[in-house]
Amino acid sequence: MSSILYENAHLICPDQNLDGHGKLLTVDGKISAIGNDIIAPNDAQVVDCRGKILCPGLIDLQVFAADPAAAARGGITTSLLHPRAGAELDSPSKVRAIFAGNRGQVARTIPMGAATRALGGEEMAEIGLMKEAGVLAFGDGQSAMGDAAVFMRILTYASSFDTLIIHAAEEERLTQGTCATLTDLSVRLGLPAAPSFAEAMMIQRDLRLIEATGASLHIPIISCAESVTLIAEAKARGLSITCGTTPAYFALNEIAIGDYRTFSKLRPPLRTEDDRLAIAKGIADGVIDVLCSGHAPLTEEEKRLPYEQAEPGMVGAETLLAMSLTLVRDETVSLSQCLAMITQKPADVLGLETGRLAIGAPADLALLDTQAPWKVSSKSLVSAAKNTPFDGLPVQGKAIQTWLGRWA
Amino acid sequence: MSSSSAPPPDQRSPARADAAGWTYSHPHLLGIEGLHALDINVLLDEAEVYAAHNRQTQKRKAILKGLTQINMFFENSTRTLMSFDLAGKRLGADTISLPVSSSSIKKGETLLDTALTLNAMRPDVIVIRHGSSGAVKLIADNVDCAVINAGDGRHEHPTQALLDALTIRHRKGAIEGLVVAICGDILHSRVARSNIHLLLTLGAVVRLVGPPTLVPQQFTDLGASVHHDMAQGLKDADVVMMLRLQQERMSGAFLPSTREYFRTFGLTADKLAHAKPDALIMHPGPMNRGVEIDTHIADDLKRSGIAEQVEMGVAVRMACLDVLTRAARSEDVDV
């Protein structure tokens, strides 16, 4: 029996409505007691939290590479790895390899299974067998399934396994060959651009399909005003839909691409200031359920190219917490709401036991100093890649340490 | 208008302001956007001098003697490359032209490496054309010498806009107050973007004319008006600037056919009749006769400024090479 007693902690758990000073005891990787009068076993290791926040480890619903060092630095204990070209995750053996790779790591990476073979958007992948292997959600990563018939069959088939489908909202017929949002800025820069409603169009289609099939859908990133409106309406109608966004879409707008700054080249591309404000409001109103990092480590060779040729994506694991906390400081959400969006809610979307300080739950924990000031500097990131669009930004909030518990 | 120091730009119409005494202070020429009217006028005034000089038999000068000019064209070009090469040679520079076929640069990774290699050869000015918007800036940020953008993707082609402006100035006296209609494929055109910025900065009224697939509404945010009807767009225009329609746009994606395009947007005598009787006709070349412009109109020497544009091209490029290397040249004491 190995036990850890966390003393002198500010315990916050949105799920348990917990926000106060106390102790937490874990035994064999599970949370076994919470309170002020815990009797710990004599051999328990004691962690003095010095009044800092002890909360569930962060859960990140969108990464494109396993990067446990970066995740742990960011307070993240579980990351959902999306399939991508080169790492398609479209067979049971491929997803098992991801689970196996977690041994000895400081943060957990769980695979999202591909919905179609080789992410081709045509033939269904072995959803049932991958679910048996432990996969909780399926989707084709950033490639949208453009064929409505294929996607409808996937939703229908997946619903029989009671599994979640995650689908990128992008009408690729409109976005193909483009790298920016169609606005006066992209017109001026001479960048091939697509209208932001390329995202909303796909959401509209998907909403109709989940209504028809009764399936559950999660959209990993929404980035524009129209999408917020559509999802708010769909939720009001009772459809089983959740969505997320990354800090880039509430902290930055298209101006960040400036004179062709490829570190700000993202997918979806950065939008207008109106869209940014709508995303922030969508967060405040609870339309947007979760915040994810979109962590996509890219090399210099992939980024230091002419804008059109540079790969889209950003590293985000190490900045997810601090950037999310900006929403607390500007009073968009409360601290508890903010933490819910990176702990409990993503856990609920995936159906994980973690993401809460509940007796019996796996002891995936994070000790946070939400006030600690620091400056985002691409050079000091532990991630192998440095492609952050927030370079040089002064922020507050750091993870002091994370602990991984035991999953059933 | 005595001006020993830089004149305060906002006190009179900057478009007409006297550029004497003003110094072009940008290290590169990457685009027209962001240039002050006086920057543009400095370059045009210099080009004016070179235009006169180029009409002499003895055209060679020595002001760039000993300087190295590298022309790096990642996209096929004959006339612009020749024009820059000739401009450099007339100023006495050692010019090297590297036509880099697109096949050898399949991946952009080598672009920065190529730039760094070039930089190590210590050129004094690099002229670059690249198929990707922003690529020239990427190189400019990583080399130590002056860089001239000879066209980057759909973004800008500043020397083309300058030579167009010089041609207009010759024919029309001034640019301020003129109505200029730019017609054709605006969406994919760097020539159009540079011209829009330049003409608006110098006080012209700019109309963009073409099918909605090639002239999206977003261009109105740049300060130009958008028209999808030639009669309306050309009405009382002083200058009609036709753009080249790229072959790959004609095959159905943006337009149904060339003959339909010529019927609706090709410059013909009846459409030109809507412009002012003395309207100047321009084209950056090479022309698709019978697609965007009627062959008789293209050849009408009285109305067409097309040949003059080519001539002004060399003068403008000489001016740019001269102005951009001035700071570096003044550092060398032993010249």
Side-chain angles (χ1 to χ4, degrees):
Chain A
M1 293 255 289
S2 74
S3 321
I4 306 176
L5 179 67
Y6 299 85
E7 283 187 339
N8 191 18
H10 177 180
L11 299 168
I12 297 187
C13 174
D15 179 62
Q16 305 284 309
N17 258 327
L18 183 64
D19 185 353
H21 198 86
K23 295 179 190 175
L24 184 143
L25 178 69
T26 69
V27 176
D28 282 346
K30 301 269 187 188
I31 296 171
S32 76
I34 298 167
N36 281 306
D37 317 305
I38 297 172
I39 314 290
N42 288 335
D43 63 345
Q45 180 199 341
V46 176
V47 174
D48 181 359
C49 298
R50 297 168 189 269
K52 302 292 188 216
I53 291 171
L54 187 69
C55 68
L58 274 52
I59 297 166
D60 183 355
L61 290 189
Q62 193 194 49
V63 303
F64 295 99
D67 195 346
R73 170 80 85 94
I76 298 163
T77 48
T78 302
S79 303
L80 182 67
L81 178 67
H82 286 223
R84 60 180 166 83
E88 287 87 357
L89 308 181
D90 57 352
S91 71
S93 61
K94 287 178 192 168
V95 298
R96 277 198 196 96
I98 301 298
F99 285 117
N102 283 325
R103 202 161 301 135
Q105 296 291 357
V106 289
R108 201 175 266 122
T109 305
I110 58 173
M112 168 169 139
T116 66
R117 274 193 197 133
L119 311 179
E122 288 168 6
E123 300 160 46
M124 220 181 278
E126 291 169 321
I127 291 174
L129 294 181
M130 284 192 276
K131 186 177 161 86
E132 255 177 48
V135 173
L136 298 169
F138 294 87
D140 279 0
Q142 279 186 313
S143 39
M145 288 171 262
D147 188 326
V150 171
F151 192 58
M152 187 168 84
R153 281 197 292 270
I154 284 167
L155 286 173
T156 314
Y157 188 77
S159 63
S160 70
F161 288 95
D162 192 27
T163 183
L164 177 72
I165 295 295
I166 297 184
H167 190 221
E170 183 177 327
E171 176 47 80
E172 289 185 354
R173 291 293 172 108
L174 281 174
T175 58
Q176 212 163 42
T178 69
C179 60
T181 307
L182 182 58
T183 62
D184 60 317
L185 178 81
S186 60
V187 157
R188 223 165 56 225
L189 292 173
L191 294 175
S196 58
F197 61 73
E199 177 177 298
M201 272 176 70
M202 188 53 92
I203 293 176
Q204 258 171 334
R205 185 202 80 172
D206 286 359
L207 289 174
R208 189 64 193 84
L209 291 176
I210 60 169
E211 191 167 13
T213 57
S216 296
L217 181 69
H218 176 71
I219 299 172
I221 293 181
I222 65 166
S223 62
C224 57
E226 210 177 332
S227 308
V228 177
T229 310
L230 283 171
I231 289 177
E233 284 167 9
K235 284 185 167 181
R237 279 195 291 142
L239 295 185
S240 179
I241 182 150
T242 53
C243 69
T245 195
T246 81
Y249 301 101
F250 63 73
L252 302 174
N253 64 25
E254 57 177 352
I255 305 294
I257 73 177
D259 280 335
Y260 308 101
R261 275 198 77 227
T262 56
F263 277 19
S264 299
K265 180 175 177 179
L266 307 176
R267 184 173 174 187
L270 289 171
R271 308 295 194 186
T272 64
E273 175 63 4
D274 286 346
D275 289 316
R276 186 189 75 79
L277 293 171
I279 291 297
K281 184 155 191 308
I283 290 169
D285 296 346
V287 176
I288 296 173
D289 303 274
V290 305
L291 299 174
C292 60
S293 73
H295 191 70
L298 295 167
T299 61
E300 293 259 304
E301 287 70 36
E302 291 166 303
K303 275 294 190 187
R304 290 189 74 187
L305 290 174
Y307 196 87
E308 281 174 57
Q309 279 111 53
E311 286 293 323
M314 60 181 244
V315 287
E318 291 168 72
T319 49
L320 176 64
L321 174 68
M323 293 306 297
S324 301
L325 287 169
T326 61
L327 295 168
V328 179
R329 265 182 296 281
D330 67 18
E331 297 180 345
T332 305
V333 291
S334 69
L335 177 61
S336 166
Q337 284 169 322
C338 175
L339 291 177
M341 294 182 79
I342 44 182
T343 59
Q344 174 227 329
K345 287 184 174 180
D348 290 348
V349 167
L350 273 190
L352 295 175
E353 277 186 275
T354 55
R356 66 209 78 232
L357 302 182
I359 308 294
D364 285 2
L365 302 172
L367 184 62
L368 311 179
D369 181 346
T370 55
Q371 302 299 321
W374 58 289
K375 193 170 178 179
V376 181
S377 149
S378 59
K379 287 195 189 72
S380 64
L381 297 177
V382 298
S383 174
K386 311 296 177 194
N387 50 306
T388 171
F390 304 120
D391 196 20
L393 192 73
V395 291
Q396 274 181 284
K398 262 186 172 177
I400 301 165
Q401 202 179 334
T402 55
W403 292 268
L404 293 185
R406 186 167 55 84
W407 283 25
Chain B
M1 280 211 233
S2 77
S3 42
S4 53
S5 62
D10 298 327
Q11 306 216 333
R12 54 177 183 246
S13 165
R16 220 183 294 164
D18 186 353
W22 181 269
T23 308
Y24 181 93
S25 57
H26 307 273
H28 310 294
L29 177 63
L30 301 181
I32 300 293
E33 190 187 10
L35 295 188
H36 193 275
L38 287 167
D39 290 324
I40 296 167
N41 282 334
V42 163
L43 295 172
L44 292 178
D45 290 350
E46 293 282 349
E48 198 81 71
V49 178
Y50 283 114
H53 169 85
N54 282 341
R55 291 189 175 176
Q56 303 169 6
T57 316
Q58 181 48 256
K59 300 180 182 66
R60 191 148 181 129
K61 289 178 81 103
I63 58 167
L64 295 198
K65 191 164 182 280
L67 271 64
T68 306
Q69 171 192 341
I70 300 182
N71 305 317
M72 226 166 101
F73 279 57
F74 292 92
E75 244 186 17
N76 289 333
S77 153
T78 320
R79 53 178 68 206
T80 309
L81 177 57
M82 253 180 67
S83 181
F84 269 109
D85 193 54
L86 193 56
K89 287 198 163 84
R90 284 192 182 165
L91 292 173
D94 299 319
T95 68
I96 304 170
S97 295
L98 302 169
V100 194
S101 74
S102 50
S103 59
S104 69
I105 308 279
K106 271 221 181 70
K107 291 239 171 196
E109 284 114 302
T110 51
L111 180 63
L112 261 191
D113 288 339
T114 317
L116 296 175
T117 310
L118 283 184
N119 194 44
M121 295 177 190
R122 300 204 158 272
D124 301 284
V125 58
I126 304 180
V127 179
I128 305 164
R129 167 168 290 190
H130 195 281
S132 209
S133 303
V136 176
K137 182 180 167 12
L138 181 67
I139 295 177
D141 288 344
N142 287 282
V143 297
D144 302 315
C145 66
V147 171
I148 298 178
N149 181 1
D152 65 324
R154 312 168 173 190
H155 178 223
E156 286 233 38
H157 189 356
T159 56
Q160 177 71 41
L162 288 164
L163 72 87
D164 288 341
L166 194 62
T167 308
I168 297 173
R169 238 166 66 160
H170 273 188
R171 294 288 189 100
K172 298 283 171 191
I175 288 167
E176 191 178 17
L178 293 180
V179 174
V180 182
I182 307 178
C183 311
D185 182 0
I186 311 286
L187 177 64
H188 300 99
S189 173
R190 54 194 173 217
V191 174
R193 282 177 180 76
S194 286
N195 264 308
I196 292 167
H197 294 306
L198 187 146
L199 293 166
L200 290 173
T201 307
L202 293 191
V205 173
V206 179
R207 295 185 194 153
L208 307 175
V209 194
T213 45
L214 296 176
V215 191
Q217 276 301 325
Q218 278 77 12
F219 275 93
T220 53
D221 295 325
L222 271 58
S225 60
V226 168
H227 306 265
H228 305 307
D229 175 73
M230 284 289 268
Q232 187 197 51
L234 261 51
K235 191 171 167 21
D236 297 327
D238 297 285
V239 179
V240 179
M241 206 179 265
M242 302 306 296
L243 296 176
R244 178 182 164 76
L245 189 67
Q246 299 291 335
Q247 202 70 42
E248 62 265 29
R249 320 278 182 229
M250 301 178 197
S251 54
F254 290 86
L255 301 166
S257 69
T258 33
R259 65 176 187 181
E260 182 163 320
Y261 183 77
F262 185 65
R263 182 76 58 85
T264 37
F265 294 101
L267 189 63
T268 51
D270 58 317
K271 292 192 198 98
L272 186 57
H274 296 281
K276 284 196 181 151
D278 63 343
L280 170 66
I281 298 156
M282 303 176 73
H283 193 296
M287 281 182 281
N288 295 305
R289 289 166 186 264
V291 177
E292 68 254 359
I293 190 163
D294 180 83
T295 190
H296 299 295
I297 291 176
D299 294 335
D300 183 346
L301 288 178
K302 270 213 300 264
R303 310 197 65 178
S304 160
I306 295 169
E308 194 171 347
Q309 284 175 277
V310 179
E311 183 188 349
M312 291 307 121
V314 180
V316 156
R317 283 154 190 146
M318 287 169 81
C320 294
L321 290 168
D322 176 3
V323 168
L324 283 167
T325 54
R326 237 168 238 178
R329 279 184 281 138
S330 68
E331 281 167 19
D332 281 344
V333 242
D334 59 342
V335 169

